[in-house]
Amino acid sequence: MLKRCLFNMREGKYPKSFLNICLLIFSLGILFGDRDIGMLPLGILLIVFLALSFILTLKQSRFTFIVVALLFFIFGNFRSNIFLNPGDLDISNYWGKEAVVCGTLEGDPRVREDENGEIHLRYVVKADTVKSDKEEKRATGKIIVYSKFSKSNDKDNKDTDKYGRSGDYIKVSGKIRQPHDYQNPGRMNNIMIQRSQEITAQMSAHKADIEERDGDFLLRMAGNIRNFYRELMEKAM
């Protein structure tokens, strides 16, 4: 059956098997994507095999499947390399350095109060610029920022909007660090989950300045709904 699936594509036989095999080959391409082949060679191969598969499809060649299979493998490898190698402008290039990061809040911050009355904040910031070693450069990628302050110094502690909202501009300073995992084999890989969200760094901020801006209305409304249900759950627990 596999042989007939491989060499009778022009007759349209076994489409489900063809799709499953292509998905398997695409997954293999992702699996071997951590090999540092380079984006340029992969891009050239992708264009060549895409053109070749198009030509063979028009000619109804019996060998089209082989070229298409290789195309899926290259495409999986290309996707994995983009995922694992963010680029020269990515904020992950500043791991271990003290820096000032400016960017936009992605979603509302997570707010938590501990038993000592300190407010702990967790921001996801889409980086615009990074200033390190007295040199400011454009940056890409996202960074998780942790910040805290004493609730006793905050007279209007019920106003959560002052912590920032989705779309606000934020400026933070601190040491940029590599994301860490819990090193627990029974848990999901937190680093890979964050990488899928384009988060490649984290920081415990010495200082955080927020400038309110008109953000996306739907995102802010969704954030308000999440905060409302989170407060209800905390009260219930």
Side-chain angles (χ1 to χ4, degrees), residues 70-132:
L70 290 173
L71 177 64
F72 270 80
F73 181 85
I74 296 170
F75 185 70
N77 202 289
F78 187 79
R79 175 66 183 89
S80 182
N81 271 271
I82 293 176
F83 179 76
L84 295 173
N85 302 298
D88 295 336
L89 295 178
D90 192 79
I91 197 168
S92 60
N93 294 298
Y94 295 88
W95 287 347
K97 295 183 178 181
E98 291 283 341
V100 177
V101 180
C102 297
T104 307
L105 291 184
E106 290 275 319
D108 292 342
R110 294 184 186 177
V111 184
R112 179 179 63 86
E113 180 184 354
D114 63 20
E115 61 277 5
N116 297 321
E118 282 191 323
I119 303 296
H120 296 257
L121 303 171
R122 178 187 182 273
Y123 299 101
V124 176
V125 179
K126 184 177 181 181
D128 292 331
T129 62
V130 176
K131 185 177 182 180
S132 179

Short mmCIF file of all heavy atoms in Angstrom, two decimals, residues 70-132:
data_model
loop_
_atom_site.label_atom_id
_atom_site.label_comp_id
_atom_site.label_asym_id
_atom_site.label_seq_id
_atom_site.Cartn_x
_atom_site.Cartn_y
_atom_site.Cartn_z
N LEU A 70 10.14 15.91 0.75
CA LEU A 70 11.36 16.65 1.11
C LEU A 70 11.03 18.12 1.40
O LEU A 70 11.64 18.74 2.27
CB LEU A 70 12.38 16.55 -0.02
CG LEU A 70 13.02 15.17 -0.22
CD1 LEU A 70 13.87 15.16 -1.47
CD2 LEU A 70 13.85 14.79 1.00
N LEU A 71 10.07 18.67 0.67
CA LEU A 71 9.65 20.04 0.91
C LEU A 71 9.08 20.20 2.31
O LEU A 71 9.38 21.17 3.01
CB LEU A 71 8.61 20.46 -0.13
CG LEU A 71 8.01 21.87 0.03
CD1 LEU A 71 9.09 22.93 -0.16
CD2 LEU A 71 6.89 22.07 -0.97
N PHE A 72 8.27 19.24 2.74
CA PHE A 72 7.71 19.28 4.09
C PHE A 72 8.81 19.16 5.14
O PHE A 72 8.76 19.81 6.19
CB PHE A 72 6.68 18.16 4.28
CG PHE A 72 5.29 18.57 3.91
CD1 PHE A 72 4.88 18.59 2.58
CD2 PHE A 72 4.39 18.95 4.89
CE1 PHE A 72 3.61 18.98 2.24
CE2 PHE A 72 3.10 19.35 4.56
CZ PHE A 72 2.70 19.36 3.22
N PHE A 73 9.81 18.32 4.88
CA PHE A 73 10.92 18.18 5.83
C PHE A 73 11.69 19.49 5.96
O PHE A 73 12.01 19.93 7.07
CB PHE A 73 11.85 17.06 5.36
CG PHE A 73 13.02 16.82 6.30
CD1 PHE A 73 12.88 16.00 7.40
CD2 PHE A 73 14.25 17.44 6.07
CE1 PHE A 73 13.95 15.79 8.26
CE2 PHE A 73 15.31 17.23 6.92
CZ PHE A 73 15.16 16.40 8.03
N ILE A 74 11.98 20.12 4.83
CA ILE A 74 12.71 21.40 4.85
C ILE A 74 11.88 22.48 5.52
O ILE A 74 12.40 23.30 6.29
CB ILE A 74 13.10 21.81 3.41
CG1 ILE A 74 14.07 20.79 2.81
CG2 ILE A 74 13.73 23.20 3.40
CD1 ILE A 74 14.33 20.98 1.33
N PHE A 75 10.57 22.48 5.24
CA PHE A 75 9.70 23.48 5.84
C PHE A 75 9.65 23.31 7.36
O PHE A 75 9.68 24.29 8.11
CB PHE A 75 8.29 23.37 5.25
CG PHE A 75 7.36 24.44 5.74
CD1 PHE A 75 7.52 25.76 5.36
CD2 PHE A 75 6.31 24.12 6.59
CE1 PHE A 75 6.66 26.75 5.82
CE2 PHE A 75 5.45 25.09 7.06
CZ PHE A 75 5.61 26.41 6.67
N GLY A 76 9.60 22.06 7.84
CA GLY A 76 9.63 21.80 9.29
C GLY A 76 10.94 22.24 9.90
O GLY A 76 10.97 22.82 10.99
N ASN A 77 12.04 21.97 9.20
CA ASN A 77 13.35 22.39 9.68
C ASN A 77 13.47 23.90 9.72
O ASN A 77 14.02 24.48 10.66
CB ASN A 77 14.43 21.79 8.78
CG ASN A 77 15.78 21.70 9.44
OD1 ASN A 77 16.41 22.72 9.67
ND2 ASN A 77 16.20 20.49 9.76
N PHE A 78 12.93 24.55 8.69
CA PHE A 78 12.95 26.01 8.61
C PHE A 78 12.14 26.62 9.76
O PHE A 78 12.58 27.56 10.42
CB PHE A 78 12.37 26.44 7.26
CG PHE A 78 12.48 27.91 6.98
CD1 PHE A 78 13.68 28.47 6.54
CD2 PHE A 78 11.39 28.74 7.16
CE1 PHE A 78 13.78 29.82 6.28
CE2 PHE A 78 11.48 30.10 6.89
CZ PHE A 78 12.68 30.64 6.46
N ARG A 79 10.96 26.06 10.01
CA ARG A 79 10.11 26.55 11.10
C ARG A 79 10.79 26.36 12.45
O ARG A 79 10.74 27.24 13.32
CB ARG A 79 8.76 25.80 11.09
CG ARG A 79 7.83 26.14 12.25
CD ARG A 79 7.38 27.58 12.15
NE ARG A 79 6.54 27.96 13.28
CZ ARG A 79 6.98 28.45 14.41
NH1 ARG A 79 8.29 28.64 14.57
NH2 ARG A 79 6.17 28.78 15.39
N SER A 80 11.45 25.25 12.64
CA SER A 80 12.13 24.99 13.90
C SER A 80 13.31 25.93 14.11
O SER A 80 13.56 26.39 15.23
CB SER A 80 12.61 23.54 13.96
OG SER A 80 13.22 23.25 15.19
N ASN A 81 14.03 26.24 13.03
CA ASN A 81 15.17 27.15 13.16
C ASN A 81 14.72 28.56 13.49
O ASN A 81 15.40 29.26 14.25
CB ASN A 81 15.99 27.14 11.86
CG ASN A 81 17.07 26.08 11.85
OD1 ASN A 81 18.19 26.31 12.28
ND2 ASN A 81 16.72 24.89 11.39
N ILE A 82 13.60 28.99 12.94
CA ILE A 82 13.05 30.30 13.31
C ILE A 82 12.69 30.31 14.78
O ILE A 82 12.91 31.28 15.50
CB ILE A 82 11.83 30.63 12.43
CG1 ILE A 82 12.25 30.83 10.98
CG2 ILE A 82 11.10 31.86 12.94
CD1 ILE A 82 11.10 31.07 10.04
N PHE A 83 12.13 29.20 15.24
CA PHE A 83 11.69 29.07 16.63
C PHE A 83 12.87 29.06 17.60
O PHE A 83 12.84 29.69 18.65
CB PHE A 83 10.87 27.78 16.77
CG PHE A 83 10.36 27.52 18.14
CD1 PHE A 83 9.28 28.22 18.65
CD2 PHE A 83 10.94 26.55 18.94
CE1 PHE A 83 8.80 27.98 19.92
CE2 PHE A 83 10.47 26.29 20.20
CZ PHE A 83 9.39 27.01 20.70
N LEU A 84 13.95 28.35 17.24
CA LEU A 84 15.07 28.17 18.15
C LEU A 84 16.14 29.24 18.00
O LEU A 84 16.98 29.41 18.89
CB LEU A 84 15.70 26.79 17.94
CG LEU A 84 14.80 25.59 18.27
CD1 LEU A 84 15.47 24.29 17.86
CD2 LEU A 84 14.48 25.55 19.76
N ASN A 85 16.15 29.97 16.88
CA ASN A 85 17.15 31.01 16.65
C ASN A 85 16.45 32.33 16.39
O ASN A 85 16.19 32.68 15.23
CB ASN A 85 18.05 30.63 15.46
CG ASN A 85 18.74 29.30 15.67
OD1 ASN A 85 19.53 29.14 16.59
ND2 ASN A 85 18.44 28.33 14.83
N PRO A 86 16.11 33.07 17.44
CA PRO A 86 15.28 34.28 17.30
C PRO A 86 15.87 35.37 16.40
O PRO A 86 15.13 36.10 15.77
CB PRO A 86 15.15 34.79 18.74
CG PRO A 86 15.45 33.60 19.60
CD PRO A 86 16.45 32.81 18.83
N GLY A 87 17.19 35.51 16.36
CA GLY A 87 17.77 36.55 15.50
C GLY A 87 18.69 37.48 16.27
O GLY A 87 18.74 37.49 17.50
N ASP A 88 19.42 38.31 15.52
CA ASP A 88 20.44 39.18 16.11
C ASP A 88 19.84 40.31 16.95
O ASP A 88 20.50 40.83 17.85
CB ASP A 88 21.31 39.78 15.00
CG ASP A 88 22.12 38.72 14.27
OD1 ASP A 88 22.37 37.66 14.88
OD2 ASP A 88 22.49 38.95 13.10
N LEU A 89 18.61 40.73 16.65
CA LEU A 89 18.00 41.82 17.38
C LEU A 89 17.21 41.35 18.60
O LEU A 89 16.74 42.18 19.38
CB LEU A 89 17.06 42.63 16.46
CG LEU A 89 17.71 43.36 15.29
CD1 LEU A 89 16.64 44.06 14.46
CD2 LEU A 89 18.74 44.37 15.78
N ASP A 90 17.09 40.05 18.76
CA ASP A 90 16.26 39.54 19.85
C ASP A 90 16.87 39.88 21.21
O ASP A 90 18.09 39.94 21.37
CB ASP A 90 16.11 38.03 19.73
CG ASP A 90 15.03 37.50 20.66
OD1 ASP A 90 13.84 37.62 20.31
OD2 ASP A 90 15.37 36.98 21.73
N ILE A 91 16.00 40.08 22.16
CA ILE A 91 16.43 40.49 23.50
C ILE A 91 17.22 39.41 24.22
O ILE A 91 17.94 39.67 25.18
CB ILE A 91 15.21 40.93 24.32
CG1 ILE A 91 15.66 41.75 25.54
CG2 ILE A 91 14.36 39.73 24.73
CD1 ILE A 91 14.51 42.46 26.22
N SER A 92 17.15 38.18 23.74
CA SER A 92 17.91 37.08 24.35
C SER A 92 19.42 37.28 24.18
O SER A 92 20.21 36.65 24.90
CB SER A 92 17.50 35.74 23.75
OG SER A 92 17.73 35.73 22.35
N ASN A 93 19.83 38.13 23.26
CA ASN A 93 21.26 38.40 23.07
C ASN A 93 21.85 39.21 24.22
O ASN A 93 23.07 39.42 24.26
CB ASN A 93 21.47 39.16 21.75
CG ASN A 93 21.13 38.31 20.54
OD1 ASN A 93 21.74 37.28 20.29
ND2 ASN A 93 20.14 38.74 19.77
N TYR A 94 21.00 39.68 25.15
CA TYR A 94 21.47 40.49 26.27
C TYR A 94 21.43 39.72 27.59
O TYR A 94 21.47 40.33 28.66
CB TYR A 94 20.62 41.76 26.39
CG TYR A 94 20.76 42.68 25.22
CD1 TYR A 94 19.95 42.56 24.10
CD2 TYR A 94 21.72 43.70 25.19
CE1 TYR A 94 20.07 43.40 23.02
CE2 TYR A 94 21.86 44.54 24.11
CZ TYR A 94 21.03 44.39 23.03
OH TYR A 94 21.16 45.23 21.94
N TRP A 95 21.34 38.41 27.53
CA TRP A 95 21.37 37.61 28.76
C TRP A 95 22.61 37.95 29.58
O TRP A 95 23.72 38.02 29.07
CB TRP A 95 21.38 36.13 28.44
CG TRP A 95 20.07 35.59 27.92
CD1 TRP A 95 18.86 36.19 27.96
CD2 TRP A 95 19.88 34.33 27.28
NE1 TRP A 95 17.90 35.40 27.38
CE2 TRP A 95 18.49 34.25 26.96
CE3 TRP A 95 20.71 33.27 26.94
CZ2 TRP A 95 17.94 33.14 26.32
CZ3 TRP A 95 20.17 32.17 26.30
CH2 TRP A 95 18.80 32.10 25.99
N GLY A 96 22.41 38.15 30.89
CA GLY A 96 23.52 38.40 31.80
C GLY A 96 23.97 39.85 31.86
O GLY A 96 24.92 40.17 32.57
N LYS A 97 23.30 40.75 31.14
CA LYS A 97 23.71 42.16 31.11
C LYS A 97 22.70 43.05 31.81
O LYS A 97 21.50 42.81 31.77
CB LYS A 97 23.88 42.64 29.67
CG LYS A 97 25.00 41.95 28.91
CD LYS A 97 25.13 42.54 27.51
CE LYS A 97 26.28 41.89 26.74
NZ LYS A 97 26.42 42.47 25.38
N GLU A 98 23.22 44.08 32.48
CA GLU A 98 22.35 45.13 33.03
C GLU A 98 21.88 46.00 31.88
O GLU A 98 22.68 46.41 31.03
CB GLU A 98 23.11 45.97 34.06
CG GLU A 98 23.46 45.23 35.35
CD GLU A 98 22.25 45.09 36.27
OE1 GLU A 98 21.27 45.85 36.10
OE2 GLU A 98 22.29 44.23 37.16
N ALA A 99 20.58 46.28 31.85
CA ALA A 99 20.05 47.03 30.71
C ALA A 99 18.77 47.76 31.09
O ALA A 99 18.14 47.47 32.11
CB ALA A 99 19.79 46.09 29.54
N VAL A 100 18.42 48.71 30.24
CA VAL A 100 17.14 49.42 30.33
C VAL A 100 16.32 49.00 29.11
O VAL A 100 16.75 49.17 27.98
CB VAL A 100 17.33 50.94 30.34
CG1 VAL A 100 15.97 51.64 30.37
CG2 VAL A 100 18.16 51.36 31.54
N VAL A 101 15.15 48.43 29.37
CA VAL A 101 14.29 47.92 28.30
C VAL A 101 13.04 48.78 28.20
O VAL A 101 12.38 49.06 29.21
CB VAL A 101 13.90 46.45 28.56
CG1 VAL A 101 12.99 45.94 27.43
CG2 VAL A 101 15.13 45.57 28.68
N CYS A 102 12.73 49.21 27.01
CA CYS A 102 11.49 49.96 26.74
C CYS A 102 10.63 49.15 25.79
O CYS A 102 11.13 48.56 24.83
CB CYS A 102 11.80 51.33 26.12
SG CYS A 102 12.76 52.43 27.18
N GLY A 103 9.33 49.14 26.09
CA GLY A 103 8.44 48.37 25.23
C GLY A 103 6.99 48.55 25.60
O GLY A 103 6.62 49.47 26.34
N THR A 104 6.17 47.66 25.10
CA THR A 104 4.72 47.72 25.26
C THR A 104 4.23 46.52 26.05
O THR A 104 4.71 45.40 25.83
CB THR A 104 4.02 47.75 23.89
OG1 THR A 104 4.58 48.81 23.10
CG2 THR A 104 2.53 47.97 24.04
N LEU A 105 3.29 46.76 26.96
CA LEU A 105 2.73 45.67 27.76
C LEU A 105 1.87 44.77 26.89
O LEU A 105 0.99 45.23 26.17
CB LEU A 105 1.90 46.22 28.91
CG LEU A 105 2.64 46.94 30.03
CD1 LEU A 105 1.66 47.32 31.14
CD2 LEU A 105 3.74 46.05 30.60
N GLU A 106 2.15 43.48 26.96
CA GLU A 106 1.33 42.48 26.27
C GLU A 106 0.36 41.89 27.30
O GLU A 106 0.71 41.01 28.08
CB GLU A 106 2.21 41.38 25.69
CG GLU A 106 3.06 41.83 24.53
CD GLU A 106 2.31 41.74 23.21
OE1 GLU A 106 1.59 40.75 23.00
OE2 GLU A 106 2.44 42.68 22.41
N GLY A 107 -0.86 42.39 27.32
CA GLY A 107 -1.83 41.93 28.30
C GLY A 107 -1.66 42.66 29.63
O GLY A 107 -0.66 43.35 29.86
N ASP A 108 -2.64 42.51 30.51
CA ASP A 108 -2.56 43.13 31.83
C ASP A 108 -1.59 42.38 32.72
O ASP A 108 -1.38 41.17 32.54
CB ASP A 108 -3.94 43.14 32.49
CG ASP A 108 -4.91 44.08 31.77
OD1 ASP A 108 -4.44 44.94 31.02
OD2 ASP A 108 -6.12 43.93 31.97
N PRO A 109 -0.97 43.07 33.68
CA PRO A 109 -0.02 42.38 34.57
C PRO A 109 -0.73 41.44 35.55
O PRO A 109 -1.91 41.61 35.85
CB PRO A 109 0.64 43.54 35.32
CG PRO A 109 -0.38 44.62 35.32
CD PRO A 109 -1.09 44.50 34.01
N ARG A 110 0.00 40.46 36.02
CA ARG A 110 -0.50 39.60 37.09
C ARG A 110 -0.11 40.24 38.41
O ARG A 110 1.05 40.57 38.64
CB ARG A 110 0.10 38.20 36.99
CG ARG A 110 -0.33 37.43 35.76
CD ARG A 110 0.24 36.02 35.79
NE ARG A 110 -0.03 35.29 34.56
CZ ARG A 110 0.41 34.05 34.31
NH1 ARG A 110 1.14 33.42 35.24
NH2 ARG A 110 0.12 33.46 33.17
N VAL A 111 -1.09 40.41 39.28
CA VAL A 111 -0.88 41.09 40.56
C VAL A 111 -1.11 40.10 41.68
O VAL A 111 -2.15 39.42 41.73
CB VAL A 111 -1.83 42.30 40.70
CG1 VAL A 111 -1.53 43.05 41.99
CG2 VAL A 111 -1.71 43.23 39.50
N ARG A 112 -0.15 40.02 42.60
CA ARG A 112 -0.27 39.12 43.75
C ARG A 112 0.25 39.80 45.00
O ARG A 112 1.27 40.48 44.96
CB ARG A 112 0.52 37.83 43.49
CG ARG A 112 0.47 36.82 44.64
CD ARG A 112 1.26 35.57 44.30
NE ARG A 112 2.68 35.86 44.11
CZ ARG A 112 3.57 35.89 45.11
NH1 ARG A 112 3.19 35.70 46.37
NH2 ARG A 112 4.85 36.14 44.84
N GLU A 113 -0.46 39.63 46.10
CA GLU A 113 -0.05 40.19 47.38
C GLU A 113 0.38 39.05 48.31
O GLU A 113 -0.34 38.06 48.47
CB GLU A 113 -1.19 40.98 48.02
CG GLU A 113 -0.82 41.59 49.37
CD GLU A 113 -1.99 42.29 50.04
OE1 GLU A 113 -3.07 42.39 49.39
OE2 GLU A 113 -1.84 42.72 51.20
N ASP A 114 1.57 39.19 48.92
CA ASP A 114 2.02 38.14 49.83
C ASP A 114 1.61 38.47 51.26
O ASP A 114 0.96 39.48 51.54
CB ASP A 114 3.53 37.95 49.72
CG ASP A 114 4.33 39.20 50.11
OD1 ASP A 114 3.78 40.07 50.81
OD2 ASP A 114 5.50 39.30 49.72
N GLU A 115 2.00 37.60 52.19
CA GLU A 115 1.59 37.75 53.60
C GLU A 115 2.23 38.95 54.28
O GLU A 115 1.77 39.41 55.34
CB GLU A 115 1.92 36.48 54.39
CG GLU A 115 3.39 36.11 54.45
CD GLU A 115 3.87 35.33 53.24
OE1 GLU A 115 3.07 35.16 52.30
OE2 GLU A 115 5.04 34.91 53.24
N ASN A 116 3.31 39.48 53.70
CA ASN A 116 3.98 40.64 54.28
C ASN A 116 3.45 41.97 53.73
O ASN A 116 3.97 43.03 54.08
CB ASN A 116 5.49 40.55 54.02
CG ASN A 116 6.11 39.34 54.68
OD1 ASN A 116 5.74 38.99 55.82
ND2 ASN A 116 7.03 38.69 54.00
N GLY A 117 2.45 41.90 52.89
CA GLY A 117 1.86 43.12 52.35
C GLY A 117 2.57 43.67 51.14
O GLY A 117 2.31 44.80 50.73
N GLU A 118 3.46 42.89 50.53
CA GLU A 118 4.15 43.35 49.33
C GLU A 118 3.36 42.94 48.09
O GLU A 118 2.79 41.85 48.01
CB GLU A 118 5.56 42.77 49.25
CG GLU A 118 6.56 43.48 50.15
CD GLU A 118 7.99 43.07 49.85
OE1 GLU A 118 8.21 41.89 49.55
OE2 GLU A 118 8.88 43.93 49.92
N ILE A 119 3.33 43.84 47.12
CA ILE A 119 2.65 43.59 45.86
C ILE A 119 3.66 43.07 44.85
O ILE A 119 4.69 43.71 44.59
CB ILE A 119 1.98 44.87 45.31
CG1 ILE A 119 1.00 45.43 46.33
CG2 ILE A 119 1.27 44.58 44.00
CD1 ILE A 119 -0.16 44.54 46.64
N HIS A 120 3.38 41.89 44.30
CA HIS A 120 4.25 41.29 43.29
C HIS A 120 3.58 41.40 41.93
O HIS A 120 2.42 41.01 41.76
CB HIS A 120 4.53 39.83 43.63
CG HIS A 120 5.28 39.63 44.91
ND1 HIS A 120 6.63 39.34 44.95
CD2 HIS A 120 4.87 39.72 46.21
CE1 HIS A 120 7.02 39.23 46.21
NE2 HIS A 120 5.97 39.46 46.99
N LEU A 121 4.32 41.92 40.96
CA LEU A 121 3.78 42.14 39.61
C LEU A 121 4.58 41.32 38.60
O LEU A 121 5.80 41.18 38.70
CB LEU A 121 3.86 43.62 39.24
CG LEU A 121 3.16 44.60 40.18
CD1 LEU A 121 3.50 46.03 39.81
CD2 LEU A 121 1.65 44.38 40.15
N ARG A 122 3.85 40.80 37.62
CA ARG A 122 4.49 40.06 36.53
C ARG A 122 3.98 40.64 35.21
O ARG A 122 2.79 40.60 34.92
CB ARG A 122 4.16 38.58 36.60
CG ARG A 122 4.76 37.73 35.46
CD ARG A 122 4.23 36.31 35.54
NE ARG A 122 4.79 35.44 34.52
CZ ARG A 122 4.31 35.29 33.28
NH1 ARG A 122 3.25 36.01 32.92
NH2 ARG A 122 4.86 34.45 32.43
N TYR A 123 4.91 41.21 34.44
CA TYR A 123 4.57 41.81 33.16
C TYR A 123 5.14 40.96 32.02
O TYR A 123 6.19 40.34 32.16
CB TYR A 123 5.17 43.21 33.03
CG TYR A 123 4.72 44.22 34.04
CD1 TYR A 123 5.53 44.56 35.14
CD2 TYR A 123 3.50 44.88 33.90
CE1 TYR A 123 5.12 45.50 36.06
CE2 TYR A 123 3.09 45.83 34.82
CZ TYR A 123 3.90 46.13 35.90
OH TYR A 123 3.50 47.07 36.80
N VAL A 124 4.44 40.98 30.90
CA VAL A 124 5.01 40.49 29.64
C VAL A 124 5.17 41.71 28.75
O VAL A 124 4.19 42.38 28.41
CB VAL A 124 4.11 39.44 28.97
CG1 VAL A 124 4.70 39.03 27.62
CG2 VAL A 124 3.95 38.22 29.86
N VAL A 125 6.41 42.01 28.37
CA VAL A 125 6.72 43.22 27.64
C VAL A 125 7.26 42.87 26.26
O VAL A 125 8.19 42.07 26.13
CB VAL A 125 7.78 44.07 28.39
CG1 VAL A 125 8.10 45.33 27.61
CG2 VAL A 125 7.28 44.41 29.80
N LYS A 126 6.65 43.48 25.25
CA LYS A 126 7.17 43.36 23.89
C LYS A 126 8.23 44.45 23.70
O LYS A 126 7.92 45.64 23.68
CB LYS A 126 6.04 43.53 22.87
CG LYS A 126 6.49 43.32 21.44
CD LYS A 126 5.32 43.44 20.47
CE LYS A 126 5.77 43.20 19.03
NZ LYS A 126 4.64 43.33 18.08
N ALA A 127 9.47 44.03 23.58
CA ALA A 127 10.59 44.97 23.58
C ALA A 127 10.63 45.81 22.30
O ALA A 127 10.40 45.30 21.20
CB ALA A 127 11.90 44.22 23.75
N ASP A 128 10.92 47.09 22.49
CA ASP A 128 11.15 48.01 21.36
C ASP A 128 12.62 48.40 21.27
O ASP A 128 13.21 48.38 20.20
CB ASP A 128 10.29 49.27 21.51
CG ASP A 128 8.81 48.99 21.34
OD1 ASP A 128 8.46 48.04 20.62
OD2 ASP A 128 7.99 49.70 21.94
N THR A 129 13.20 48.78 22.43
CA THR A 129 14.61 49.16 22.48
C THR A 129 15.26 48.60 23.74
O THR A 129 14.59 48.35 24.74
CB THR A 129 14.79 50.69 22.48
OG1 THR A 129 14.15 51.25 23.65
CG2 THR A 129 14.19 51.31 21.23
N VAL A 130 16.57 48.41 23.67
CA VAL A 130 17.38 47.99 24.82
C VAL A 130 18.60 48.87 24.89
O VAL A 130 19.30 49.07 23.89
CB VAL A 130 17.82 46.51 24.69
CG1 VAL A 130 18.73 46.13 25.84
CG2 VAL A 130 16.61 45.58 24.66
N LYS A 131 18.85 49.41 26.08
CA LYS A 131 20.03 50.23 26.30
C LYS A 131 20.96 49.51 27.26
O LYS A 131 20.64 49.26 28.41
CB LYS A 131 19.65 51.59 26.88
CG LYS A 131 20.82 52.54 27.03
CD LYS A 131 20.38 53.90 27.53
CE LYS A 131 21.55 54.87 27.65
NZ LYS A 131 21.12 56.20 28.14
N SER A 132 22.13 49.11 26.74
CA SER A 132 23.13 48.39 27.53
C SER A 132 24.50 48.92 27.16
O SER A 132 24.79 49.19 25.99
CB SER A 132 23.03 46.88 27.25
OG SER A 132 24.00 46.18 27.99
#
